[in-house]
Amino acid sequence: MIKELIVVEGKNDAHAVRLALGEVDIIWTDGYGLTRKKLEYIAETANRQGVIVFTDPDTVGEQIRNRIRRHVPKAKHVYLTRKVATKQGDIGVENAALEEIRRAFAQIRQEQFEIGQFSIEDLIQVGLAGTGHAKECRFELGRKLGIGDCNAKQFLHRLNRFGISRQEFFQVLKEVQHGERR
């Protein structure tokens, strides 16, 4: 049972999350119309019960997530990939299958405030940057790690920001690469 307040963008997102997870505490931002008052409420709630940010995997969703991150550094984060959140060209949490929402919430991430252990050279060395298939591999790896899909620079940032260990990274990379060979 999730005790934290879950922050989503809209009412339809909240409905999808409740269908997937049951009765959970949710607030929606009304998209990018996140008011100062609502942001302050989210920050206060983070101190009492914790907060999980679950925005759409698009530009606006990332902008909302970053705005909350600046005001609520203790917030936890959950990501969907664009692929699982897209239906008929529309990207949003409300479009994801309930199982994908559950899978995302099984990998709640919290930012770490330590120096990261990954560099761009690490990504290049394992083919996650600078190769023809890097994007697809990064997206699948991001899904399995629970950090979403993004470009190489953002992927590197998320690996370090969420304190993903080298052991976890290489184990999941091995699974992804093994799945590609089938």
Side-chain angles (χ1 to χ4, degrees), residues 70-84:
R70 284 191 300 273
H71 287 83
V72 188
K74 295 189 291 186
K76 296 175 183 175
H77 298 268
V78 173
Y79 291 87
L80 285 174
T81 63
R82 287 176 180 261
K83 181 178 178 180
V84 302

Side-chain angles (χ1 to χ4, degrees), residues 19-35:
L19 284 175
L21 303 178
E23 282 303 311
V24 291
D25 193 11
I26 297 180
I27 188 171
W28 54 88
T29 67
D30 291 318
Y32 200 68
L34 178 61
T35 64

Side-chain angles (χ1 to χ4, degrees), residues 29-163:
T29 67
D30 291 318
Y32 200 68
L34 178 61
T35 64
R36 166 65 78 190
K37 184 176 180 179
K38 200 172 275 193
L39 193 55
E40 289 171 0
Y41 173 78
I42 292 168
E44 290 168 14
T45 304
N47 291 326
R48 285 194 312 274
Q49 73 187 71
V51 167
I52 300 171
V53 181
F54 187 47
T55 56
D56 296 345
D58 60 9
T59 302
V60 172
E62 197 59 31
Q63 289 172 345
I64 294 166
R65 184 183 296 275
N66 287 334
R67 190 165 170 213
I68 294 169
R69 179 182 290 118
R70 284 191 300 273
H71 287 83
V72 188
K74 295 189 291 186
K76 296 175 183 175
H77 298 268
V78 173
Y79 291 87
L80 285 174
T81 63
R82 287 176 180 261
K83 181 178 178 180
V84 302
T86 301
K87 184 187 226 178
Q88 297 174 341
D90 179 48
I91 299 173
V93 166
E94 75 275 9
N95 297 323
L98 301 181
E99 183 55 38
E100 289 295 339
I101 293 172
R102 287 186 205 103
R103 180 189 323 261
F105 272 87
Q107 297 179 315
I108 299 170
R109 296 285 184 182
Q110 186 161 21
E111 290 190 30
Q112 308 295 311
F113 299 99
E114 302 171 7
I115 296 174
Q117 51 182 314
F118 292 95
S119 68
I120 194 68
E121 289 78 21
D122 292 321
L123 298 186
I124 292 168
Q125 187 174 33
V126 296
L128 295 176
T131 67
H133 72 283
K135 180 179 179 179
E136 293 79 21
C137 189
R138 235 185 5 259
F139 284 11
E140 182 61 23
L141 191 60
R143 178 177 172 269
K144 288 185 177 280
L145 288 169
I147 61 173
D149 51 6
C150 47
N151 64 31
K153 184 177 177 182
Q154 187 64 32
F155 188 83
L156 176 63
H157 184 67
R158 288 180 187 177
L159 284 174
N160 289 323
R161 182 183 336 139
F162 294 118

